Amino acid sequence: MVDSDLQFIPARRALVLLVLAYIVLAVAVSVINPLFESPDEIRHYRYVRVLVTERRLPIQGSETVRSQSHHPPLYYALSALLSGWVPSSHDGEFQQATNPFWGYRSFATGVDNKLQYWHGPVEPWGGGYFAALLSRWVNVAIGAATIAATYALACRSLQGEHGRADSPDAGPRLALAAAAIVAFNPQFIYLSAAINNDVIAALAGAGILLASVIVIREGPSIRNLVALGVVSGLGLLAKLQVGALGIPVMLALVLAAWQSRDRTRWMRSMLRSLIVVGSAVLIVSGWWFWRNLRLYGEPTGLRMQQALWGGRSVATNLWAIWQGLPQVWASLWGQFGYGQIPLPSWMMTGLLVVVLICLGGYALRRPPVYDRRTIGLLAIAVLVAVAAVVIYTAANPAGAMGRFLFPVLPALAVIIVGGLAQLSGRAELTCRLVVGMMASFAAVALVGYLWPAVSYPPRRDGAPAAAQVGTIAEILNVTVQETEVSAGEPVFVEVTWRPLQWTEEPLAVFVHLVDEAGVLVAQRDTWPGLGRAPTTSWRAGVPFADTYRVDLPETVYTPNVLAVELGLYGGATGRIPIDSGDGILVDSWRVGSVRVAASEGVWPNSVDISFENQLWLVGYEVTPRVVGPGESFTLTTVWHVPDAASPDLHLFAQVFDAQWRVWGSQDGGHPDWITGYVTDTRRITLIPDTPPGTYPVNVGVLAEGRRLNVLGQDGRPAADYVALGPIRVR
């Protein structure tokens, strides 16, 4: 027994408080996270709108825009039922305008262009968005039910084979801890506040495993078997991935029947269990598989999904498994959006270490606080689900998602708590540790990482205006944070804006780095607020600060001095005039400069670029760097040739624009590939009607009719050419 001063709220009352805390967090996230920013949310929403507006299930392959039409309908039917009464102009082909700058350094932690869509000031209440919000709240309710089901599952798994406990309510305490792992999992909260079928899959998984445990512990009565069959059928109508739990369900039936200790009675009991459970599953979900069979020629519809969504061979893509495992782990706990709002890697590593330590408790030789049969069943369920996700990762480029493990998230929570309880030997201490750590984890993840990435930038203290951009905004301050950088390093430019009015067209900020020859060597374009404050929803008079990262290419010409230029532009309005107080209007305001240090190495513009480890580009030079249409320039490249270099390697050099139009080239031929360092010089003449502008000089290697890939720092293919220069065409 523990001391009385350590007794706190009774477990079941604490469960109510836990669920209420989860609901508050999930509803808050559903409001602050702009609609459709969660993974595939807009496609899930289209499914709901088809049900509401057309009173039918969507059919794969018949849609003009993608929806999640391959999924079973349970969540979507509930959402349509509860949101369909709200007036909305959205139908199954609803589109949301996108942020053209979304995805910049997508897997970096931070706030830079993490929003995929353009969100106007009407959200979340106008323009039909309330119907979408109601669909999100359906998942909040489903998530609350999942937490309660996790608690019930843990109560039947963590009471101990011999009734061992350190307090009268040890089992409920440990169950509360398991429920807290689900309730305060940041990813679970995030997806519970979005439109998807992953949360109902978690509820289905908890329900199926709970019913299986009841069959094991209470016996295969007709009532228990029917309940297991019904919840399994509903699970298949929630998400097909729940079908992987068929293996632990079968194991539960075997364990329950085996208790008869008589082979004849065991066979009879097993047969009866299969008939009852199977019949209930068919009655509940059989219609869905029959529909798929008629429409797609097979009962799951997965063959059609793979054809439409780009599946791949498992056998030839086993490499994707090892690459995807860290992604699966991170996105099980906290990697928001499409993965572009991740938590720091050290946090994920630390969480993995904690979980492994907890699992180590099962190795201790002490009276168990868990039921061996049920914990074994839950462990098998987790392993089966992980195996299914591993196979799907190899078969599908989008397979490495932790949310696909949500059907066994309750089981994993119970297993973690059981191991920790074995280590601590005290239920109340285990509960306090888990609830405290998970609540802190949720607060840090949601407030420290999600909220800043999706919300309007915080207010910045005002200052006298340094420049005015038309009638739209004032620039209060600009700071170029670096004075000297090396090739390949970023330049950071901090700009403080004071909006004066909103605009009808979303305007974009540009930051250009222009060298001494007038060549644009690097640029960065983005909506203000790094995507969070488009000018269409600017808050007049409220200053905010942006820090724009501009990445210098590794092949930038060195040494050099780069002018930093800043401006605002729109597709229809062009560049907005800037008045910096000297009476001269400019469309590009020069705000500072940064020096690029000379490259290290003996060659001009030394680089180290591998073409599939057959050749290495180690230096280059372009002369002159400013030319006119129809004029020529000289490109000199230096290559490191290993002993095994093929004599059939040919070089190509091309000048082309962003639309892949070639304005000059010199392809074919090669120097004598002798071991060591080899120089190649070629003259490139531009087409006479080459438009003025800045163009990279793209260089690559041909081998046996194909281009060799450039290898990145991680050894993976990055491109089949490298951009040098660039040059400026007058």
Side-chain angles (χ1 to χ4, degrees), residues 6 90 97 246 315 403 420 437 639 730:
L6 290 180
H90 300 161
R403 55 192 168 90
L420 180 59
M437 291 178 63
W639 302 84
R730 293 189 299 269

Side-chain angles (χ1 to χ4, degrees), residues 97 148 158 173 215 329 396 420 431 480 488 505 556 586 612 632 671 722:
L158 299 177
R173 292 289 183 213
V215 168
W329 177 254
N396 193 295
L420 180 59
C431 185
V480 180
E505 177 191 11
V556 65
V586 296
E612 296 188 12
S632 302
V722 61

Side-chain angles (χ1 to χ4, degrees), residues 646-702:
S646 168
D648 296 324
L649 300 178
H650 298 271
L651 304 180
F652 67 87
Q654 300 174 344
V655 176
F656 55 78
D657 59 20
Q659 286 71 44
W660 302 93
R661 291 173 295 191
V662 178
W663 299 106
S665 65
Q666 183 61 260
D667 299 341
H670 60 81
D672 293 331
W673 295 124
I674 61 173
T675 302
Y677 294 94
V678 174
T679 299
D680 176 80
T681 301
R682 54 189 62 209
R683 191 80 172 163
I684 301 175
T685 302
L686 299 179
I687 295 174
D689 58 352
T690 302
T694 300
Y695 301 89
V697 181
N698 303 291
V699 174
V701 181
L702 292 170

Side-chain angles (χ1 to χ4, degrees), residues 475 478-480 493 495 511 563-566 588-593:
I475 299 176
V478 180
T479 303
V480 180
V493 181
V495 181
V511 180
V564 181
E565 299 180 353
L566 172 71
S588 179
W589 184 29
R590 182 163 294 189
V591 296
S593 64

Side-chain angles (χ1 to χ4, degrees), residues 466-470 475 510 564-569 574-591:
Q468 181 158 327
V469 186
I475 299 176
F510 69 83
V564 181
E565 299 180 353
L566 172 71
L568 197 66
Y569 72 95
R575 292 189 179 185
I576 309 301
I578 300 174
D579 181 3
S580 60
D582 55 7
I584 300 176
L585 295 180
V586 296
D587 62 8
S588 179
W589 184 29
R590 182 163 294 189
V591 296

Side-chain angles (χ1 to χ4, degrees), residues 3 11 53 64 103 129 133 149 174-175 184 263 289 298 418 426 436 450 495 549 630 638 654 669 700:
D3 295 337
T53 60
T64 57
Y129 285 94
L133 205 58
L174 298 179
F184 291 138
R263 178 172 297 180
F289 297 100
E298 53 91 17
R426 301 174 62 185
L450 176 63
V495 181
R549 173 179 174 138
V638 183
Q654 300 174 344

